[in-house]
Amino acid sequence: MFRAFLLFTALTGCFTVSAKEWLIDVRTAAEYTIEHADGAANIEYQQIVIGAQQAGIEKQDTVHLYCRSGRRAEIAKELLIQNGYQKVENLGSLQDAESWAKTSHLAVATNH
């Protein structure tokens, strides 16, 4: 019985998943350069799926998106969901993302 417990513990330890939270600005690189929320990475909304994969964003990670008005972030959100990402949130505008970042108290993963 004890050996079975040790085997189970060892196996489940091998499959531990640690999800991260990501703050992604889906505007153009030029817009991002001018101003962006602290801790945000930049992946343009047209490239969100390939960009997320290249950045190492896992499908179980939480992804917070924003743009100028929320429209491009919503398109990016739908693309990520269609590609199997499970926890995707459209924060809306840059100002909304800045407010979220100030109050979230979360360590956000970035790719820079």
Side-chain angles (χ1 to χ4, degrees):
M1 182 76 165
F2 182 70
R3 287 173 48 192
F5 172 75
L6 288 177
L7 179 60
F8 175 76
T9 304
L11 287 175
T12 56
C14 293
F15 299 108
T16 300
V17 176
S18 68
K20 296 179 184 174
E21 293 212 30
W22 298 81
L23 179 59
I24 308 294
D25 182 329
V26 300
R27 300 174 304 150
T28 65
E31 290 173 293
Y32 177 84
T33 300
I34 293 169
E35 182 182 20
H36 59 272
D38 287 343
N42 180 230
I43 304 172
E44 293 186 31
Y45 79 99
Q46 302 99 320
Q47 302 298 319
I48 192 64
V49 175
I50 191 75
Q53 293 167 349
Q54 291 172 343
I57 300 173
E58 301 290 334
K59 293 188 177 186
Q60 71 274 7
D61 291 350
T62 301
V63 181
H64 305 280
L65 307 168
Y66 74 91
C67 61
R68 185 176 53 82
S69 67
R71 185 185 66 79
R72 289 176 282 180
E74 188 63 28
I75 294 168
K77 174 186 169 185
E78 294 303 319
L79 289 169
L80 287 172
I81 290 170
Q82 289 170 11
N83 282 275
Y85 289 84
Q86 301 163 8
K87 301 177 200 161
V88 186
E89 178 183 16
N90 177 357
L91 294 176
S93 69
L94 170 60
Q95 291 75 27
D96 295 331
E98 288 172 332
S99 295
W100 174 86
K102 287 178 186 173
T103 61
S104 71
H105 305 294
L106 296 173
V108 178
T110 64
N111 65 345
H112 51 337

